[in-house]
Amino acid sequence: MHPHCFFLALFALLVSLVTTTAPNNVPGTWKPTNCIDLNTTEIGEWAVSEYNKNVTNKLVFENLISSEITFISGTLYLLLVAAKNESLHNPAEYYKTSVEDRDPAGIDSLF
């Protein structure tokens, strides 16, 4: 076997090992978070309050259904929130929202 073929085969093996053993550490990979986490719930409440600043029919936050997180140039949350229109007597509906936190201190409070 030629030496360059050996190194190429070794490199391919190492790349495959790294990609299969560390998929959770790749930036941009979405990971589910705990919906009971107070920090994540507060972010959902904040997202609803920010939405309410721009509309006449206000929403009332009820609970957080699901959440995912990724780290790119900060923390990005993808949330599914249950909220209902305060002026109607309809049951809560689900709303999908994303929130970006560029504060590096916010990352430490998640763990």
Side-chain angles (χ1 to χ4, degrees):
M1 178 180 247
H2 296 293
H4 65 279
C5 291
F6 173 75
F7 288 115
L8 185 60
L10 181 62
F11 178 73
L13 177 66
L14 289 175
V15 168
S16 66
L17 286 174
V18 168
T19 57
T20 58
T21 59
N24 293 334
N25 296 330
V26 177
T29 302
W30 289 97
K31 302 174 196 168
T33 62
N34 187 354
C35 289
I36 300 173
D37 179 29
L38 182 61
N39 186 38
T40 309
T41 303
E42 287 176 352
I43 293 170
E45 292 172 347
W46 178 83
V48 171
S49 69
E50 287 296 307
Y51 173 82
N52 287 338
K53 290 179 181 179
N54 299 318
V55 296
T56 54
N57 293 330
K58 309 290 185 199
L59 295 177
V60 177
F61 177 86
E62 288 204 343
N63 62 347
L64 184 63
I65 304 301
S66 68
S67 62
E68 295 180 9
I69 189 170
T70 189
F71 303 100
I72 300 175
S73 63
T75 308
L76 186 60
Y77 299 88
L78 183 62
L79 308 173
L80 184 61
V81 175
K84 64 181 189 176
N85 190 323
E86 71 178 0
S87 61
L88 301 175
H89 297 290
N90 295 341
E93 296 180 352
Y94 294 160
Y95 296 89
K96 189 178 272 191
T97 184
S98 60
V99 177
E100 182 179 9
D101 181 10
R102 291 191 178 192
D103 181 18
I107 294 172
D108 295 334
S109 64
L110 291 174
F111 303 105

